[in-house]
Amino acid sequence: MENIELKCASLRAQIAATEFQLSALKQELEATEALRGAPSQSSTECSERKWPLSAEEYKRYGRQMIVSEIGLHGQLKLRSASVLLVGAGGLGCPAALYLAGAGVGTLGMVDGDTVESSNLHRQVLHRTKNVGKYKVDSAIEYLEELNPHTKYIAHREHLSPQNAPLVFRDYDIVLDCTDNPATRYLISDTAVLLGKPLVSASALRTDGQLMVLNNPPKPPGDPSGGPCYRCVFPRPPPADSVVSCADGGIIGPVVGTMGVLQALETIKVLTKTTNQDTHPALNQPLTADARPALHIFSAFSTPPFRTIRLRGRRTDCAVCSSQATVTLTTLQSGLTDYVQFCGSMSTSQVLTSEERVSVRDFQPIYTSKKPYTLVDVRDPVQFGICSLESSINIPITKILHGKIAKDVNATEQPQSSLPSEITSPDSTDPIYFICRLGNDSQLAVRRLKELGLDQDGQRYIGDIRGGFRAWKSEIDPEWPEY
């Protein structure tokens, strides 16, 4: 029974891939007929006028069409293409901006979030007046002013295994503009199962990565198809190693660079001719190396770019190999659990209620003259932005890797890589930890207790629940929010 199910899934994938190839051939036929002046059956507009593009479109796209790699042939392909961007944030905004500008016929955007002030330094389609508005609506409002020829479709929802196939099915190519592993695997799996090429990018702090996956989009089991996200990363990163832009930070031009490169790679995929074709302008066979690659960008390195060649599809891949276990059925039924697969970094239950204090309970301690130690576990850069008076800065990374090496000579102080304020065996002053959101501070408490610094319960060690976000909300409204 299992073999029959696998065969059915493989046949569905082959049908989807064949339909995609048929659609591409129809687009190419339409473009070729337009070039020779023959009427196209699928385009009434082309049959009613002498030229395949309007006069305004020739002016709008002229600088692009005179590039030999594009030409009129490529421009017509772009106009008949449909592109889906999953995410309307730091990556999706610049990618959508340049795809709309290039003249892509249909542009869809998926995002269930709303615009926040903290988005505006890097998410270039959103404006101050649109704070609180759906990101997809804010982005499309801008894009419609940029290029009214493109059709825009707003998907005001978060992507899920249940809705992903329905959303993807009407598009030719997908861009992954998200920022979490679970969604990345979902997007890649759906793209493979529906025969869609995928342009995936990521950015954090000063670095970025870019890949074109499932290109060409062959059915599962066909080794000539491009690798998928699971082929490159068969195992997700440890949940506690995943850092978001909100926690790790991001420089706007870095994520903008990666989004622009996504748009460029999308244009290359959409306008590319087959290996049997010749260059439309030079009349020469195409010989460019189309092997998959991982492009790595580091803003503060010289040179800033480097490329790593990727292997083809893995023979044991769970979605694109002949032994695939991920199918449309397992995906939509919920049998493929992406959150469980990637793990979840939840610190909400790390400590007991006795090990935590609210900001309101800590405020009288903070203003009193009673001895205590307040440790801010943010990194030095964030500590420099704002900090509470009398607090000391010990980054969470130092605490998690801190060691206590007790000397055999009991008369000497224990050797430690941590500051004496928290390691002194002579002090029973309570220690309070605080961070930005109240997550890292819990990990710090747990680590110090593992090192035995609570002196068998004689010394109180706890965290301030909610961190500086709660401090601003309940104690000091003027506290800087970043």
Side-chain angles (χ1 to χ4, degrees):
M1 189 69 181
E2 183 177 354
N3 291 334
I4 295 176
E5 179 63 28
L6 289 174
K7 185 175 181 179
C8 290
S10 178
L11 289 171
R12 292 190 196 99
Q14 291 181 51
I15 292 171
T18 303
E19 288 176 344
F20 174 81
Q21 293 170 0
L22 179 61
S23 175
L25 288 172
K26 287 181 178 178
Q27 292 174 16
E28 194 161 346
L29 174 61
E30 180 182 344
T32 303
E33 288 177 336
L35 284 173
R36 74 175 187 182
S40 171
Q41 294 181 352
S42 60
S43 177
T44 305
E45 183 181 3
C46 286
S47 64
E48 293 177 349
R49 62 171 179 251
K50 181 178 181 180
W51 305 106
L53 298 176
S54 68
E56 200 277 333
E57 286 176 303
Y58 277 105
K59 286 184 179 181
R60 179 181 288 267
Y61 309 125
R63 300 296 187 273
Q64 178 170 286
M65 286 192 290
I66 61 176
V67 177
S68 59
E69 285 79 5
I70 303 295
L72 177 59
H73 186 265
Q75 191 61 51
L76 290 171
K77 281 188 171 184
L78 290 174
R79 190 178 70 169
S80 61
S82 55
V83 178
L84 177 69
L85 296 94
V86 185
L91 292 167
C93 283
L97 184 67
Y98 278 94
L99 288 172
V104 168
T106 301
L107 204 58
M109 302 188 78
V110 185
D111 202 314
D113 290 338
T114 57
V115 179
E116 300 178 1
S117 296
S118 61
N119 303 146
L120 300 178
H121 89 284
R122 67 193 183 280
Q123 300 180 14
V124 293
L125 293 182
H126 308 311
R127 289 164 287 181
T128 303
K129 70 175 186 178
N130 284 342
V131 169
K133 195 172 187 177
Y134 272 112
K135 284 186 177 182
V136 290
D137 293 335
S138 172
I140 289 175
E141 178 183 306
Y142 188 108
L143 295 172
E144 285 176 335
E145 294 181 8
L146 172 69
N147 189 352
H149 296 284
T150 296
K151 176 183 177 182
Y152 302 101
I153 301 175
H155 301 274
R156 303 173 189 88
E157 57 188 330
H158 293 292
L159 203 67
S160 70
Q162 288 70 38
N163 66 17
L166 298 176
V167 174
F168 282 27
R169 65 183 180 183
D170 295 326
Y171 295 92
D172 299 324
I173 188 169
V174 178
L175 278 69
D176 180 352
C177 305
T178 62
D179 62 357
N180 70 86
T183 306
R184 291 189 181 283
Y185 282 101
L186 168 61
I187 292 171
S188 176
D189 291 353
T190 308
V192 171
L193 295 173
L194 295 181
K196 314 289 185 182
L198 172 64
V199 183
S200 178
S202 62
L204 182 67
R205 298 189 180 103
T206 63
D207 303 318
Q209 294 183 353
L210 173 75
M211 296 180 290
V212 180
L213 301 169
N214 197 41
N215 185 44
K218 301 293 184 180
D222 188 338
S224 66
C228 69
Y229 195 79
R230 287 183 186 266
C231 294
V232 182
F233 303 108
R235 293 185 180 86
D240 58 0
S241 70
V242 177
V243 180
S244 67
C245 289
D247 294 327
I250 182 68
I251 296 179
V254 171
V255 70
T257 296
M258 305 317 298
V260 169
L261 289 176
Q262 280 186 284
L264 176 60
E265 292 297 330
T266 302
I267 291 172
K268 287 165 61 178
V269 171
L270 292 173
T271 60
K272 177 185 176 182
T273 54
T274 62
N275 291 335
Q276 289 75 28
D277 289 338
T278 57
H279 193 290
L282 305 179
N283 197 33
Q284 296 177 353
L286 293 172
T287 58
D289 188 353
R291 289 181 298 169
L294 170 63
H295 304 288
I296 300 174
F297 173 72
S298 183
F300 288 84
S301 296
T302 304
F305 286 98
R306 60 191 179 99
T307 297
I308 300 174
R309 291 295 177 186
L310 299 176
R311 296 180 178 178
R313 289 182 167 181
R314 295 174 62 97
T315 57
D316 60 346
C317 179
V319 68
C320 67
S321 71
S322 57
Q323 287 81 38
T325 57
V326 178
T327 67
L328 286 175
T329 300
T330 65
L331 188 137
Q332 290 187 292
S333 66
L335 293 176
T336 303
D337 191 329
Y338 292 92
V339 175
Q340 182 181 22
F341 174 66
C342 294
S344 61
M345 179 57 177
S346 175
T347 55
S348 59
Q349 301 298 324
V350 168
L351 303 179
T352 65
S353 58
E354 290 76 18
E355 297 172 298
R356 312 193 72 188
V357 297
S358 68
V359 290
R360 291 192 179 277
D361 289 336
F362 178 72
Q363 184 185 25
I365 299 173
Y366 176 65
T367 56
S368 71
K369 295 183 179 180
K370 294 180 180 179
Y372 67 90
T373 300
L374 175 60
V375 182
D376 188 328
V377 301
R378 296 174 299 161
D379 62 57
V381 174
Q382 295 186 56
F383 185 77
I385 294 174
C386 54
S387 62
L388 289 174
E389 187 178 351
S390 76
S391 63
I392 62 173
N393 182 217
I394 309 176
I396 184 61
T397 52
K398 185 174 182 179
I399 292 175
L400 295 179
H401 296 93
K403 296 181 179 180
I404 302 289
K406 292 188 177 180
D407 197 282
V408 293
N409 186 352
T411 61
E412 295 186 10
Q413 293 286 344
Q415 298 176 356
S416 171
S417 60
L418 299 174
S420 59
E421 290 93 336
I422 62 175
T423 60
S424 174
D426 299 326
S427 175
T428 57
D429 295 344
I431 303 175
Y432 298 94
F433 287 94
I434 191 168
C435 65
R436 190 178 176 192
L437 302 174
N439 295 327
D440 287 345
S441 56
Q442 294 187 68
L443 301 179
V445 171
R446 186 175 62 181
R447 178 58 179 161
L448 258 65
K449 290 193 172 184
E450 289 174 352
L451 293 174
L453 296 179
D454 63 339
Q455 302 174 18
D456 294 326
Q458 299 300 310
R459 187 179 195 184
Y460 178 82
I461 299 178
D463 94 302
I464 300 174
R465 188 169 55 245
F468 287 114
R469 176 176 291 180
W471 186 264
K472 175 181 177 63
S473 174
E474 301 181 38
I475 305 300
D476 184 2
E478 296 183 358
W479 184 264
E481 182 177 1
Y482 60 93

